[in-house]
Amino acid sequence: MTHPSSDPRPVRLRAALDQVPGYKAGRPAPARTDLVTYKISSNENPFPPLPSVVAVVQDAVANINRYPDMTAAEMAHRMADTLGVDPDALAFGTGSVGLLGQLVQITCDAGDEVVFAWRSFEAYPILVALAGAVSVPVPNDAEGRHDLDAILAAITDRTRLLLLCTPNNPTGPALRTAEVEAFLRQVPSDVLVVLDEAYLEFVTAPDAPDAVALWRAHPNVAVLRSFSKAYGLAGLRVGYAIAHPEVAAALRKAAVPFGVSHLAQVAVVASLDAHAELQERVDSLVAERTRVLNAVTAIWPQVPDSQGNFVWLPLGERTAAFAAACEQAGLVVRAFDGDGVRASVAEPEANDRLVEVLQTFLAG
Ligand SMILES: *Cc1c(COP(=O)(O)O)cnc(C)c1O
């Protein structure tokens, strides 16, 4: 027998990995002596955690030698009451990104297709490729909206999953009720349609869909929500899906056992208790978004509407230059080279600075 180290062949990894794009996480803003810097690249909530949430998490630390409640019973019941759904219809995951991975796993064998609008959430093509499935990206229209007719036209015999992101990260617009209803009537009933509502709490458009009503009306619809953005719990990794019981049960089968920590579970319950306080924060972020969008559209009318806690600047070839100008001004934004820049709505000073940098950049 030869000694293993004399065998030069590398470990065999799945060929599917070659198709997996790397996830580019937002960098922390580098500290500077001349000005306060801001990371506005990950759509995080700029407010610190609520004191009541910090307190329950601190208490819960005393139990971290134990596994969490795998059924997340208290959190599940509180969420079910809040939403007016049966607890059977809920599945929790390590962030809604965790659930997105589970959704691909429960629907796709190798070679099956997942259709989504593009540009959209960067995690979609990564999770699809990791599962050995095939991404079918469908370009957004000129206003950064999903082209639902083109998405319908992209459905084939191999399509197992459709991902709709509303409001769309990073371009901003939310879907409209009438268009989604018409769309759902035409999707084959055996294809799962996911409405990714990570930014739901920031939506103010009057014609935005009621995803829970759509879920009730369509056995092939599931809704995805996150505690990372409006709730400000990004670091605790917890999100949920509202799905029909068979789909929710499949999602639970595909979950990392005990993935949602006890700290995350108590933080969610405490956040539901602090609803009014959180709502004030969301309202102030929405007011800031309106302020930023008004200032931006005054100098650049074509900028798309945003219903999330971010704005999209479709700068095309000038994307990298604008990101560099932001960096100079102490702002770390998310640049998608050759396409555009996404900037999170953050502290008023960061928002003011973003508008100033854009004004100077467009004038130059
Ligand atoms: C941020 C985000 C998520 C999920 O984030 P988690 O922190 O994993 O809950 C999901 N979808 C979209 C579109 C997002 O922008």
Side-chain angles (χ1 to χ4, degrees):
M1 203 177 93
T2 54
H3 191 273
S5 64
S6 68
D7 185 341
R9 282 179 306 175
V11 170
R12 286 195 211 203
L13 300 176
R14 285 172 60 216
L17 284 165
D18 297 339
Q19 308 305 316
V20 179
Y23 183 82
K24 294 186 192 69
R27 283 177 295 118
R32 281 175 41 177
T33 50
D34 55 334
L35 78 185
V36 180
T37 58
Y38 296 96
K39 176 191 179 199
I40 54 171
S41 54
S42 297
N43 296 343
E44 291 155 336
N45 195 316
F47 291 97
L50 291 176
S52 60
V53 172
V54 171
V56 294
V57 170
Q58 267 164 356
D59 283 352
V61 166
N63 296 318
I64 59 171
N65 56 314
R66 305 289 177 192
Y67 286 111
D69 173 5
M70 186 146 140
T71 64
E74 191 186 357
M75 175 172 72
H77 277 95
R78 286 292 304 274
M79 281 311 306
D81 282 352
T82 304
L83 295 163
V85 305
D86 198 276
D88 278 3
L90 296 178
F92 292 87
T94 51
S96 47
V97 167
L99 285 157
L100 278 163
Q102 290 159 251
L103 283 160
V104 178
Q105 285 180 50
I106 67 168
T107 53
C108 292
D109 286 314
D112 285 340
E113 294 170 1
V114 181
V115 183
F116 48 81
W118 198 253
R119 181 171 289 282
S120 190
F121 187 32
E122 293 157 277
Y124 297 161
I126 298 173
L127 297 167
V128 171
L130 205 49
V134 177
S135 283
V136 181
V138 175
N140 289 314
D141 71 13
E143 293 171 27
R145 295 183 168 276
H146 286 8
D147 182 343
L148 294 179
D149 289 333
I151 291 176
L152 278 176
I155 296 172
T156 72
D157 288 350
R158 294 305 299 268
T159 307
R160 296 292 175 272
L161 183 61
L162 305 180
L163 301 173
L164 305 183
C165 188
T166 181
N168 188 47
N169 169 12
T171 60
L175 292 169
R176 299 179 174 121
T177 304
E179 65 179 351
V180 192
E181 282 175 346
F183 174 83
L184 289 172
R185 282 195 291 271
Q186 296 172 75
V187 173
S189 63
D190 59 352
V191 173
L192 185 63
V193 181
V194 172
L195 298 169
D196 181 345
E197 292 198 313
Y199 301 95
L200 168 73
E201 295 82 358
F202 302 106
V203 173
T204 53
D207 55 356
D210 174 347
V212 176
L214 294 171
W215 162 77
R216 280 189 208 287
H218 297 273
N220 62 330
V221 167
V223 183
L224 208 52
R225 305 249 175 101
S226 175
F227 292 104
S228 298
K229 312 286 165 52
Y231 284 80
L233 300 179
L236 284 175
R237 312 308 302 126
V238 53
Y240 65 97
I242 309 166
H244 288 277
E246 323 75 72
V247 174
L251 285 172
R252 287 190 286 268
K253 282 188 187 174
V256 172
F258 307 107
V260 179
S261 72
H262 182 54
L263 306 188
Q265 295 181 31
V266 296
V268 166
V269 172
S271 297
L272 295 176
D273 290 337
H275 181 261
E277 245 177 307
L278 283 172
Q279 189 60 51
E280 276 176 33
R281 293 173 162 202
V282 168
D283 292 345
S284 78
L285 289 168
V286 168
E288 279 294 288
R289 176 187 75 203
T290 305
R291 195 173 72 78
V292 171
L293 269 181
N294 286 343
V296 171
T297 45
I299 49 175
W300 188 5
Q302 298 79 24
V303 160
D305 178 39
S306 176
Q307 293 289 310
N309 64 341
F310 53 86
V311 293
W312 173 242
L313 306 170
L315 287 153
E317 295 309 315
R318 293 184 295 170
T319 293
F322 180 70
C326 287
E327 180 91 35
Q328 279 242 305
L331 300 175
V332 177
V333 295
R334 182 65 66 98
F336 299 101
D337 254 351
D339 198 353
V341 165
R342 188 194 69 204
S344 310
V345 173
E347 292 85 345
E349 190 196 338
N351 303 335
D352 287 343
R353 215 184 285 170
L354 176 76
V355 172
E356 279 163 30
V357 175
L358 185 68
Q359 273 164 345
T360 310
F361 185 83
L362 293 180

